Amino acid sequence: MRHFMGSVNLRQILMPIGQMAIFVTGAGLLCSAVMLVLALLFRGSGADQVLQATQGVGILTYTLNSLPQVLIDGVTIGFVYAAIALGYTMVYGVLQFINFAHSEIFAIGAFCGVESLIALNGLGVLAKASAMGSFLYLGLALVIGMAASGGMAVLVERVAYRPLRSSPTLIALISAIGVSFALQDIIRLVESMTSGQFYRVIPTFGNFDERITLFRIGSKIIDIQVKSVVVILAAVVMLVALNYLVGSTKVGKAIRAVSQDKNTAALMGINVNAMISLTFLVGGSLGGAAGVLYALKFTRIDPFVGFMPGIKAFAAAVLGGIGNLTGALLGGMVLGMIESFAGAYLGTYTMGSFGAEYKDMVAFLILILVIVFRPNGLLGEQVSQKA
Amino acid sequence: MKESLKSRFQDLLVLLNRGRTPYFASIGLIILGFALVYLSPRSIPGFLVFGFAASSIYWLKMNRAVQLGLAVFLAVVLVPILGARNVFYLEVIFQIAVFSALALGLNIVVGFSGLLNFGYMAFYAVGAYLWAFFGSQQPYLLHSTVTTKALNTPFFLAPDYFYLFIFLGVIVAAILGLILGLPVLRVRGDYLAVITLAFGEIVRQLANNLDKPLNFTNGPQGITPIQRPTMPEGVLKLFNQVIQPVVGHRVTDNQAYNILFYLIALLVVVAVIVITYRLDDSKVGRAWTAIREDELSAGAMGINANKLKLGAFAVGASFAGAMGVLFAASRTFVSPETFTFLQSVGVLTMVILGGIGSITGVVVGATVVTLLNIQVLQSFSLYLSQLRQSDAVLLGFHWKNLSNQLDPTKYQRLIFGIVLVIMMIYRPAGLLPAARRKRELGGAPEGNDLDEKGV
């Protein structure tokens, strides 16, 4: 029933990359096209005049100029959302249950990664690290974040979800919200007891803040930050690895079997509980890695950092069709793009009436609209709603 | 062990309910509690005894008229006197009343008709902002920014419109409930929970961001001052003449307001409880239960599920709207901070802790959680900070070194979260399960009856 993919090995690696390329370009082109049409429509409007007066460019030029940067931001954040959304969608695929605590699993990953980097910084190794070395340390932080998040996800499943597996989904959902709240405060408690600070900042090291020039248009340089490249590459590698794991390995086959029918899978000799734990482990560690990448991109994290990305990633998962791995990727990309465009242009186009602060609301609106009008998402199959 | 304790308690109840004993017991307890709190207004044990005495009216078997008379006397005469001596208790009771009404409203949606709602605070926010906008200078400040506020801006409406706005709050929140209810007709289960969550966040973000293009909500800073209804000169004077000797000092304006808001909140809560009881026992209430248990069969029985679900949302929302107006006036200040997802889940915790669908349970849940929040945790924090200043050593640990970040009042989420998980695993029906559920299970209140029901 859940749409997981076929079985040829090389295909399993190339296909997701191809899909990603299609989704990125597709979402990018679509959003750009909509934006350009809007820009054409807004010529001569108040916003246009304001821009002419302050920056000396028309709204069309302004939009075209900033478009590449907005697209790059959208892709970066889209991949982060996709990585988180996969955690929601995997658990939903197997248990038909919204793991609300996934946003805190993400936050734990971010904190553990950042704390380990801070510790390394305290030892003085980060400052001395070469370019290669700084990538290695970042990789180490990623691994630590993944391990912590994966372990926590498995623990949460064991303690708070497994006893409720036969209960109605709402009971489990309330339990998940409880876990989410408790984890937020546990992070805060641990942080404030050990570091005495509410938020943590990732130390600056390596050349992650430098910009690579991609190409030039006339005198304008289109560049991308090194850390954005790192975020995108790391996310792509993880997504491909996940696709391979689920699509082409024996374990992946077992997970798919459990997601289709637990009882029959058990009869076939599959250890259902182990597979469910494994799902949480994989989804959790993806979330943890996304947390470290998020911290790298946005530098500052606090104990409630998970809530917004979590809810947006959930929106992405629903948008793509929950329970569908490819869908999570598409949803994350579309949501990241829309958010990036809303953040960049909403303020200019409405002359400051509605600024970038409404971009969170856009995600919520999309979530509501998708659930009401297309609950199966863009790529979803017919999913029966459980009351 | 548990059983013997239970049977012993039941024996005690039987003993207490014999003949005229309950009357003496209840009145004696009330006098005792009153005397304790009166003599030492700051003692928490005294307050607990008083609370216990108040609850005894409910659980001792007495003549209905006597029960009612005692309750009214307690609520209208004794509590204000004690409150004038120590305003903090009035605050506690006021908050309990507010949250009871909220929890009862949510209970109609979640408990009676089985629709999960994580955005309940949105309705409360709408009520609060309704009066905050019209009951302040804000309508004249639409074109000013957050920082520029002319000094002598007049208030928009006369203060006594407040009473009208309680009803307007009910209507507006109910309409909003209907609007939010529309997706409910298409969506079920956990998707509904997510939609309501998103809705609650949208309302909060609107409150946070609608300081431009027109300044409706004054942004994150919130609206202040908000008017309170006028206190008639005569009432204060009379109150002072009659009560002053009892209270022992002059009742100030602010204390009088505290008492006034307490009485209004009490009135609203009583109205809410009566409405909820009547609804629960009506055709509508039974239809809600039917929808909760099995929508398909309910439809086959001729129940119009869509209409009733919308109704549940509207009724639940209206309670919150009324309390929102009251809240805005009593605080003279509202800001988006009050209406977070945390608060929505807090109210849900009250409902679940007390017992989904059980009216007494929900009120008890609201009381317990509110007491925990504003009294127990606070005194625990105080205790910890005293320990920190002392030189006490426990098992080689110097309390002085205890991080001053460890402040239990700040860890509501942890407590709510753990309570939710534990309740879901061990007692999903709550501390005092609803009578209807108990009856369905042949008198066994224990156990996971929610498991089979699919709430």
Side-chain angles (χ1 to χ4, degrees):
Chain A
M1 184 168 96
R2 314 277 147 229
H3 178 80
F4 291 140
M5 274 164 279
S7 61
V8 185
N9 282 3
L10 193 62
R11 209 174 142 236
Q12 281 301 317
I13 297 176
L14 290 179
M15 210 170 97
I17 295 182
Q19 276 175 340
M20 278 180 228
I22 293 172
F23 291 160
V24 168
T25 39
L29 281 179
L30 197 69
C31 284
S32 309
V34 170
M35 213 57 231
L36 287 180
V37 171
L38 273 180
L40 284 171
L41 287 177
F42 268 70
R43 271 189 308 177
S45 70
D48 196 9
Q49 283 154 11
V50 170
L51 274 177
Q52 299 270 17
T54 53
Q55 304 192 11
V57 289
I59 197 155
L60 190 60
T61 334
Y62 173 85
T63 309
L64 273 176
N65 275 344
S66 47
L67 203 55
Q69 212 58 55
V70 176
L71 280 172
I72 289 171
D73 281 348
V75 173
T76 318
I77 191 71
F79 270 112
V80 174
Y81 288 159
I84 311 172
L86 282 171
Y88 283 105
T89 228
M90 280 189 73
V91 169
Y92 197 91
V94 173
L95 290 178
Q96 283 81 54
F97 151 71
I98 300 171
N99 179 14
F100 209 87
H102 191 61
S103 51
E104 273 56 53
I105 303 288
F106 162 87
I108 285 175
F111 265 93
C112 289
V114 169
E115 282 296 340
S116 57
L117 282 176
I118 288 174
L120 284 174
N121 199 27
L123 294 174
V125 284
L126 282 192
K128 282 181 281 179
S130 61
M132 200 59 212
S134 58
F135 281 107
L136 275 180
Y137 288 129
L138 181 68
L140 182 69
L142 271 175
V143 170
I144 291 175
M146 286 171 84
S149 288
M152 183 53 87
V154 172
L155 183 72
V156 164
E157 192 272 334
R158 183 69 196 83
V159 173
Y161 303 156
R162 194 174 294 179
L164 298 172
R165 203 173 288 158
S166 58
S167 309
T169 46
L170 287 192
I171 299 278
L173 181 67
I174 293 173
S175 175
I177 293 209
V179 171
S180 154
F181 268 52
L183 283 182
Q184 280 176 5
D185 259 2
I186 289 172
I187 300 176
R188 193 155 66 106
L189 188 66
V190 172
E191 272 303 306
S192 59
M193 296 287 275
T194 52
S195 71
Q197 275 173 319
F198 181 64
Y199 60 85
R200 300 298 265 166
V201 177
I202 196 166
T204 39
F205 67 104
N207 56 352
F208 293 122
D209 285 325
E210 282 170 24
R211 295 176 161 274
I212 308 171
T213 308
L214 285 182
F215 49 89
R216 293 163 190 273
I217 308 172
S219 64
K220 194 164 165 51
I221 301 169
I222 306 302
D223 54 8
I224 181 169
Q225 270 187 313
V226 175
K227 58 186 181 189
S228 297
V229 179
V230 172
V231 170
I232 293 173
L233 281 182
V236 170
V237 170
M238 285 188 314
L239 299 182
V240 171
L242 175 75
N243 236 314
Y244 188 81
L245 175 81
V246 174
S248 315
T249 60
K250 211 171 172 186
V251 175
K253 207 180 227 176
I255 291 182
R256 278 179 288 152
V258 170
S259 85
Q260 285 181 356
D261 188 335
K262 284 181 206 44
N263 290 334
T264 313
L267 285 176
M268 299 296 147
I270 294 168
N271 184 344
V272 174
N273 277 336
M275 283 308 124
I276 289 174
S277 287
L278 184 74
T279 310
F280 273 86
L281 180 73
V282 172
S285 46
L286 267 178
V292 180
L293 295 177
Y294 184 90
L296 182 71
K297 175 98 176 83
F298 295 98
T299 62
R300 210 178 106 149
I301 52 172
D302 64 56
F304 308 125
V305 71
F307 182 68
M308 271 298 158
I311 204 102
K312 282 177 192 163
F314 177 73
V318 174
L319 179 64
I322 196 156
N324 180 329
L325 295 190
T326 324
L329 201 58
L330 176 64
M333 210 49 69
V334 171
L335 205 74
M337 281 295 175
I338 291 177
E339 191 189 310
S340 174
F341 273 82
Y345 294 122
L346 207 55
T348 327
Y349 274 66
T350 58
M351 291 186 286
S353 296
F354 302 99
E357 65 268 17
Y358 280 90
K359 69 179 184 185
D360 290 345
M361 217 142 65
V362 172
F364 289 125
L365 274 178
I366 291 175
L367 183 62
I368 292 184
L369 292 179
V370 171
I371 289 184
V372 171
F373 294 109
R374 199 175 156 78
N376 304 324
L378 297 175
L379 300 182
E381 296 148 42
Q382 193 61 45
V383 182
S384 66
Q385 285 181 24
K386 297 210 164 184
Chain B
M1 176 65 197
K2 196 178 161 193
E3 278 309 302
S4 81
L5 233 158
K6 203 173 191 176
S7 67
R8 223 179 269 173
F9 183 69
Q10 270 162 358
D11 290 347
L12 188 74
L13 257 184
V14 170
L15 205 70
L16 275 175
N17 278 333
R18 203 179 290 155
R20 294 194 179 279
T21 337
Y23 299 91
F24 292 121
S26 182
I27 294 172
L29 268 173
I30 290 172
I31 293 173
L32 177 71
F34 181 75
L36 278 176
V37 181
Y38 186 82
L39 292 175
S40 60
R42 281 176 205 291
S43 95
I44 289 174
F47 184 67
L48 287 180
V49 171
F50 186 69
F52 181 68
S55 71
S56 74
I57 300 174
Y58 176 78
W59 52 259
L60 284 174
K61 281 205 181 65
M62 287 187 283
N63 189 340
R64 273 256 11 165
V66 176
Q67 267 182 330
L68 212 64
L70 270 179
V72 169
F73 178 71
L74 188 93
V76 179
V77 180
L78 295 187
V79 171
I81 292 176
L82 294 179
R85 278 176 75 80
N86 182 359
V87 177
F88 182 66
Y89 289 136
L90 269 190
E91 173 61 23
V92 172
I93 298 172
F94 174 76
Q95 295 231 2
I96 289 177
V98 168
F99 281 113
S100 297
L102 289 178
L104 283 167
L106 186 60
N107 181 45
I108 287 186
V109 184
V110 178
F112 290 175
S113 35
L115 308 160
L116 205 49
N117 186 346
F118 282 127
Y120 190 63
M121 273 290 152
F123 306 120
Y124 188 51
V126 165
Y129 269 99
L130 188 70
W131 177 242
F133 183 73
F134 288 106
S136 69
Q137 303 132 323
Q138 205 60 31
Y140 293 121
L141 300 172
L142 278 179
H143 292 284
S144 64
T145 58
V146 175
T147 43
T148 59
K149 178 169 163 184
L151 270 178
N152 296 318
T153 321
F155 282 100
F156 185 66
L157 287 177
D160 280 338
Y161 273 102
F162 165 75
Y163 297 106
L164 174 69
F165 267 76
I166 291 189
F167 294 100
L168 280 184
V170 167
I171 294 167
V172 172
I175 291 172
L176 201 73
L178 286 180
I179 294 173
L180 173 63
L182 287 177
V184 171
L185 305 180
R186 298 178 59 111
V187 179
R188 262 189 281 172
D190 35 14
Y191 272 16
L192 175 63
V194 174
I195 280 207
T196 52
L197 192 168
F199 174 78
E201 277 301 304
I202 285 179
V203 168
R204 189 180 65 84
Q205 298 237 349
L206 277 179
N208 214 2
N209 292 326
L210 266 187
D211 48 351
K212 55 184 184 178
L214 283 178
N215 190 356
F216 282 108
T217 64
N218 213 23
Q221 254 140 18
I223 300 177
T224 191
I226 301 162
Q227 296 186 91
R228 305 186 284 198
T230 47
M231 179 74 76
E233 209 40 43
V235 171
L236 197 61
K237 212 176 255 171
L238 183 82
F239 199 73
N240 260 325
Q241 270 168 3
V242 182
I243 305 279
Q244 194 184 350
V246 191
V247 175
H249 61 81
R250 244 191 93 76
V251 179
T252 62
D253 224 20
N254 263 333
Q255 286 174 333
Y257 266 118
N258 273 318
I259 295 173
L260 177 71
F261 279 119
Y262 153 72
L263 288 174
I264 300 174
L266 200 68
L267 215 63
V268 177
V269 162
V270 169
V272 163
I273 291 178
V274 170
I275 293 171
T276 317
Y277 262 115
R278 303 292 297 164
L279 276 176
D280 193 23
D281 261 347
S282 72
K283 202 174 148 193
V284 177
R286 284 191 290 276
W288 276 334
T289 314
I291 293 172
R292 181 187 74 204
E293 301 300 335
D294 190 337
E295 197 180 327
L296 220 61
S297 322
M301 292 290 126
I303 291 171
N304 184 343
N306 285 354
K307 219 159 90 185
L308 281 159
K309 280 178 174 177
L310 281 179
F313 260 86
V315 174
S318 63
F319 294 171
M323 273 306 171
V325 173
L326 187 61
F327 172 82
S330 74
R331 293 298 113 116
T332 70
F333 168 69
V334 294
S335 82
E337 280 304 295
T338 322
F339 312 107
T340 54
F341 180 50
L342 170 69
Q343 299 296 332
S344 290
V345 174
V347 177
L348 186 70
T349 313
M350 295 170 188
V351 175
I352 285 166
L353 182 71
I356 299 179
S358 136
I359 296 168
T360 326
V362 167
V363 174
V364 168
T367 312
V368 169
V369 173
T370 315
L371 279 179
L372 191 72
N373 263 343
I374 65 179
Q375 200 158 19
V376 179
L377 288 187
Q378 240 156 41
S379 39
F380 190 49
S381 286
L382 205 69
Y383 177 68
L384 275 184
S385 72
Q386 279 168 356
L387 268 182
R388 225 170 269 137
Q389 279 151 17
S390 70
D391 291 325
V393 179
L394 180 78
L395 301 175
F397 180 77
H398 290 270
W399 285 103
K400 260 188 295 192
N401 302 338
L402 190 70
S403 163
N404 50 6
Q405 298 286 331
L406 188 66
D407 180 356
T409 44
K410 289 187 194 155
Y411 290 95
Q412 286 178 14
R413 287 162 194 262
L414 186 62
I415 294 161
F416 286 173
I418 291 175
V419 166
L420 282 179
V421 174
I422 291 178
M423 291 302 289
M424 284 303 101
I425 294 177
Y426 294 107
R427 222 182 148 86
L431 292 177
L432 300 172
R436 198 171 269 158
R437 269 173 228 241
K438 240 193 287 190
R439 221 179 301 142
E440 280 160 8
L441 289 170
E446 303 279 312
N448 307 327
D449 51 339
L450 284 178
D451 288 1
E452 302 96 39
K453 295 289 141 50
V455 172

